Amino acid sequence: MYKLEHISKSYGDKEILKDISIEVAPGEAVGILGTNGSGKSTLLNCIAKLHKTGSDTKLGYVPQENPLFDELKPVDNIRMWTDLNRSQIAMALSIPPLSELGISNFLDTPVKSMSGGMKKRVSLASVLINCPQILLMDEPFAALDLIAKQDILRYMGAFLGGGGSIIIASHEEEIFNFCNKVYLLKDGKLTDTNTLAAQGISYIDMLRS
Amino acid sequence: MNKLKFLGRLITADLKRLKNYIVSILIAALIISGICGFAGSVIAKNVYKQGTKEIIGIGYYLPEDGKEEMNNMGITMLQEMESMKSTANLIQVSSPEEGYELLEKEEILYLVIVPEKFISSIMNGTNTPLEIVVWDNSSVSSYIANEMFISYAMYLGLAQSAVYSTIDAAYAHDLTKEERNQIRTTVNLTYLDRALNKDSFFDIIDGSNQGKANLLQHYLASAVMLSLIFMSFVLMPHLQGYNKAMQTKFSTMGIGKFHMILSGWISSLVALYISYLLCFVGISIITNSFNPLGLVTAIPSLMAIGLIISLVANLTGSLFTANMTMLILGICIAYVGGGILPNAMLPSIVQQISGFMPGKYIIANLATALFGL
C-alpha cells in the first residue's frame, strides 16, 4: 500500500489543499474528481515532490502538458529521464509491455511534427521506461481523440494488471468508470464518492452539490 | 536519479536543441553585427569628427596708423602659414563695430583688434597688447582659444628675444646701418615664421598601438558587444523552452531555477561564441590583422553577456517581457559603459556608476581580443 498523509498547500492566503491523505493499493486505480481550479494538479504535484527519490517505490509523473522538447526527437526526450542509452531505449520500446505504446517506429521523428496522441505516448514512455510502481496522471485524455483515448485506457489497464497503481486527476466520466476508487476534491478536502455513486448520484451532481 | 547526472542530461539536451537555432544565429549575427558595426564607425567619425577639420572664422581689424604696409605683411605671413590655412579663415573688418556684428551672427568666432603701430611695438619691444573679443566666454572653445592665443604670445616673445639677441650681436660687430636693417628683417621673418608655424617643430604621431583602443576600435568593440547582447532575441525561445510541466518534473528531480539558469548560461555561451567568431573573422579581414589569442581572450565577455541573457530568460515570465528587458538592458549597458557616447561626455554620476557596471569592462576586453592591444 502506498500512502501519503497530511498534504497541505497554500498559495498566499488561499488554502488549496487542507490536510489531505491518500492511499493506493497495488493494481488499484484511484481517481481524483474536481472542477477546474479545485487543486487536482496541485495535489499530484505535491505527491510527486513529496515522494523521496531513491525510495523503494518508484513513482512516475505524467503531467497534463507534455514535458517534451519539441526540437528534439522522442529518443532524446526519453533519454533525459532515464539512465538507459539510445539503443537500450529503442530495445525497451520495441518489446512488451512498452511496445503497446506504439512509438518504437517514431523514435527519430521530431516531436514537433507529432500529433497530440503520439506526444502523450512519448510522455508516457519517458515515465514508464523506468518501470514505476505508481503512476500519477494529470488529465491523461486532454486534447486526445477517441482512438488515442482508447489506446491509453488499454495501456493503463495492462499497467494495473501488472501490479502497478495509478492516481488519476481528471473530470472525464469514462476515467472514473475505469477507477476502483474515486475521490471528490472540493474546498481543499478529499471525499470518497463510492457511497454516493452506489446511490446512483452522478459525478456531475456530486460536483454541483 | 542523481541530481548532478540529471543536470548533465539537461545541459546536453539544451545543447542538442541549440542545433536547431544555428542558422538563425548565423543570419542574425551577420545582420545585427553589420548594423551595429556601421553605426559604430559612423559614431567614431562624427563624435570627435576624427579625420575631419572645421575651419573657424577669425575676424581682424587693422588700424589706419600709417603702418598699413607692415600690418598687411604680417597678415599675409599669417595667412601663408600652413597651420593657419588648415584651421582658420582670416576676415578683415573695416571697423570694430562691424566685427561685433559678425561675432553676433556667428560668422566669426573671434575678433582680433590690432592696436595702432602694433608691429612696430613688437619690433621695439613695447609690445602693445592685442584685443581679442569672443562672443561667448564660457564655452570650451573660448577656453581653448584663450590658451591658444597665450601660447602664440609666448612664442612671439621667444622669437622677439632671439631677434634682439641677433641685433645686439650685429651692433657688437660694428655692422653698417643697412647691414643691420637687412639682418633685422631677415631674422624677424625667419624667427616669426619658425615661432608661429609650429608644424615644422612637431610631428603628429598616430597614438594607436600604445596599449589602448583608439576611437574606431572602441566603437567597433562596442558594436560587437551590442550585437552579442541582441543575439538574445534569437536565443530567448530556446532559453524559455521549459514548459510548466517540464519545470514541475524538474522540481521532482531537485532541479530548480538555478540549474536552469546554469544550463541556459552554457547554451548561451556556445551560441555567443559562434556569433563572436563571425564578428572576429569580419573585423580581422577589414583591419587586415589577425590576433589568434582573441579566439580565447574574449571568453570572459561572452560569459558575462551569456549570464545576463540566461538570467533574464529564466527570471521573466514571457518572451515579450524578456526581449524588452534585454533591449533596455543592452542600451543601458552600452550607454553607461561608454559604448554610445565617450565616457568623458557622460554625466559625472554616470561615469562613477560605470565602474560598477559590466559594459566598460566588456568593451575593453573585446577591444583587446579583437585588435590585439
Side-chain angles (χ1 to χ4, degrees), chain A residues 25 32 75 93 121 146 171 201:
Chain A
I32 312 287
V75 64
L93 291 174
R121 288 169 210 244
L146 272 172
H171 46 62
I201 299 171

Side-chain angles (χ1 to χ4, degrees), chain B residues 184-201:
Chain B
R184 187 205 301 264
T185 307
T186 307
V187 167
N188 268 326
L189 289 174
T190 304
Y191 276 100
L192 273 174
D193 179 65
R194 292 230 179 129
L196 296 177
N197 204 354
K198 292 189 289 301
D199 282 358
S200 61
F201 292 119

Side-chain angles (χ1 to χ4, degrees), chain B residues 240-361:
Chain B
Q240 290 193 328
Y242 311 130
N243 61 32
K244 273 258 182 284
M246 208 173 283
Q247 291 184 46
T248 305
K249 284 200 77 170
F250 286 169
S251 65
T252 65
M253 309 296 296
I255 298 292
K257 278 279 182 221
F258 168 77
H259 305 94
M260 290 190 266
I261 290 168
L262 181 61
S263 182
W265 187 15
I266 294 170
S267 297
S268 302
L269 186 56
V270 171
L272 290 175
Y273 191 79
I274 294 169
S275 314
Y276 167 75
L277 268 181
L278 216 63
C279 299
F280 181 83
V281 167
I283 286 176
S284 299
I285 292 171
I286 290 167
T287 58
N288 199 27
S289 72
F290 175 67
N291 172 38
L293 274 179
L295 293 169
V296 173
T297 52
I299 288 176
S301 293
L302 304 184
M303 286 175 72
I305 297 172
L307 181 58
I308 293 170
I309 295 175
S310 183
L311 279 168
V312 169
N314 283 286
L315 297 179
T316 53
S318 69
L319 189 62
F320 175 77
T321 310
N323 283 336
M324 288 310 297
T325 306
M326 280 312 303
L327 178 65
I328 294 166
L329 260 180
I331 292 169
C332 289
I333 289 172
Y335 173 71
V336 174
I340 298 178
L341 288 176
N343 237 306
M345 288 178 72
L346 300 174
S348 60
I349 181 87
V350 177
Q351 288 186 44
Q352 283 168 35
I353 293 169
S354 76
F356 300 100
M357 299 286 279
K360 181 171 141 178
Y361 305 103

Side-chain angles (χ1 to χ4, degrees), chain A residues 30-34 39-41 43-44 136-141 167-172 175-176:
Chain A
V30 170
I32 312 287
L33 166 72
K40 302 189 297 298
S41 300
L43 176 58
L44 292 190
L136 299 178
M137 302 181 85
D138 191 357
E139 301 285 2
F141 286 177
I167 302 175
I168 313 171
S170 182
H171 46 62
E172 298 215 33
I175 284 191
F176 301 120

Side-chain angles (χ1 to χ4, degrees), chain A residues 45 48-49 53 61 63 65-69 71-72 76 79-83 112 127, chain B residues 1 5-6 9 13 16-17 20-21 241-246 248-253:
Chain A
N45 286 349
K49 284 180 190 173
T53 34
Y61 179 35
E65 193 183 0
N66 296 313
L68 303 171
F69 289 122
E71 305 96 329
L72 296 181
D76 292 318
R79 270 201 83 198
M80 272 198 55
W81 305 99
T82 179
D83 290 330
K112 61 184 169 201
V127 169
Chain B
M1 192 190 295
K5 215 189 267 186
F6 185 80
R9 289 214 196 98
K16 270 194 190 149
R17 288 168 59 219
N20 293 277
Y21 294 87
Y242 311 130
N243 61 32
K244 273 258 182 284
M246 208 173 283
T248 305
K249 284 200 77 170
F250 286 169
S251 65
T252 65
M253 309 296 296

Side-chain angles (χ1 to χ4, degrees), chain B residues 48-61:
Chain B
Y48 282 135
K49 296 192 187 296
Q50 191 178 29
T52 67
K53 281 183 191 168
E54 204 173 281
I55 295 185
I56 60 170
I58 300 180
Y60 66 93
Y61 166 72

Side-chain angles (χ1 to χ4, degrees), chain A residues 6 21 61 78 84 98 144 157 163 176-177 186 206:
Chain A
H6 308 300
S21 297
Y61 179 35
I78 294 169
L84 302 177
L98 292 178
L144 295 186
F176 301 120
N177 296 335
K186 199 168 180 181
M206 286 184 213

